[in-house]
Amino acid sequence: QSVLTQPPSVSGAPGQRVTISCTGSSSNIGAGYDVHWYQQLPGTAPKLLIYANSNRPSGVPDRFSGSKSGTSASLAITGLQAEDEADYYCQSYGPSLTVFGTGTKVTVL
Amino acid sequence: QVQLVQSGAEVRKPGASVKVSCTSSGFTFTGHYIHWIRQAPGQGLEWMGWINPKSGVTNYAQKFQDRVTLTRDTSISTGYMELSRLRSDDTAVYFCARGIRVPAAGWAYYFDSWGQGTLVTVSS
């Protein structure tokens, strides 16, 4: 049912930079709705990582950054660490409902 | 601190109903919409709907419109999600989450605090 498409997996060595894409359409991201990102560690609830495209909640390291352009958004993790190994989801809105991405598993090599 | 605590795991037979609770603390319960989101085993996140705890007004995803009921009890800062006519594909972890409304964006929200999740297993 997901209408936001993410790559199933990305990987990188410790210290490297990885990016996760989130592709939507003119009905959601392209309509101007913000994109938010969540990190989900195994067996736990999602945690808000980025809100309103590029804003970090208090306590989230500045290694995480977000951007949005057109009908897509991206999450970048710089200085990859072992603790970043998790599932990541983007989230937006439209039409008339909240939508999540398909999810991306980040593996630290 | 903001906290959402959900009720424990449930097992139901197909065709039955289940009711999950979500008790909030650390913030004004009537000041934030409570959303429900589910995650089937090994799958992604799926939004189900929200309730305005102040008014009791609800909004459901079309997929769940005829089977889900969100309610609340403001006296104990608790929200409830009831899902009826359960099927095996309703087996999932159900989360409640506090919604933060995106300014000037209608009904768009993001979720800054989540419950720990409640596993609902539907099996004969």
Side-chain angles (χ1 to χ4, degrees):
Chain A
Q1 307 91 323
S2 299
V3 296
L4 304 180
T5 302
Q6 300 178 230
S9 64
V10 299
S11 62
Q16 284 191 329
R17 179 180 187 270
V18 297
T19 61
I20 301 170
S21 61
C22 173
T23 302
S25 70
S26 58
S27 297
N28 40 66
I29 299 175
Y33 292 109
D34 288 341
V35 178
H36 322 289
W37 292 90
Y38 302 88
Q39 177 193 61
Q40 187 176 32
L41 298 171
T44 69
K47 169 192 169 186
L48 180 65
L49 206 60
I50 297 287
Y51 67 94
N53 307 317
S54 59
N55 297 279
R56 283 186 309 276
S58 173
V60 173
D62 59 7
R63 303 185 291 104
F64 295 92
S65 62
S67 63
K68 173 193 160 185
S69 178
T71 58
S72 297
S74 291
L75 174 72
I77 311 173
T78 57
L80 195 64
Q81 298 183 4
E83 66 209 51
D84 299 332
E85 191 159 287
D87 293 326
Y88 293 80
Y89 293 91
C90 60
Q91 177 240 316
S92 188
Y93 180 80
S96 302
L97 83 167
T98 294
V99 291
F100 286 96
T102 49
T104 298
K105 180 173 181 58
V106 170
T107 301
V108 182
L109 301 172
Chain B
Q1 75 282 21
V2 174
Q3 204 168 10
L4 298 171
V5 178
Q6 299 182 222
S7 49
E10 304 273 11
V11 179
R12 294 286 187 273
K13 294 188 183 303
S17 298
V18 69
K19 191 171 185 177
V20 178
S21 69
C22 170
T23 300
S24 73
S25 61
F27 69 99
T28 302
F29 179 63
T30 53
H32 295 272
Y33 286 29
I34 297 295
H35 295 244
W36 290 84
I37 296 139
R38 77 176 186 179
Q39 185 172 37
Q43 302 301 307
L45 301 167
E46 184 175 30
W47 179 78
M48 300 179 68
W50 55 248
I51 183 168
N52 177 348
K54 185 174 185 178
S55 65
V57 172
T58 55
N59 181 43
Y60 304 130
Q62 190 169 15
K63 174 178 178 177
F64 302 102
Q65 188 79 37
D66 61 344
R67 293 199 300 136
V68 71
T69 304
L70 302 183
T71 57
R72 90 292 189 216
D73 184 339
T74 57
S75 68
I76 55 172
S77 300
T78 298
Y80 303 92
M81 186 283 300
E82 183 169 22
L83 190 61
S84 62
R85 303 196 302 278
L86 289 167
R87 307 185 293 254
S88 58
D89 61 357
D90 290 318
T91 294
V93 175
Y94 289 77
F95 295 101
C96 62
R98 187 176 81 159
I100 303 297
R101 198 160 178 175
V102 178
W107 300 107
Y109 291 85
Y110 62 91
F111 311 111
D112 71 336
S113 185
W114 296 63
Q116 83 276 19
T118 297
L119 175 62
V120 174
T121 303
V122 183
S123 174
S124 55

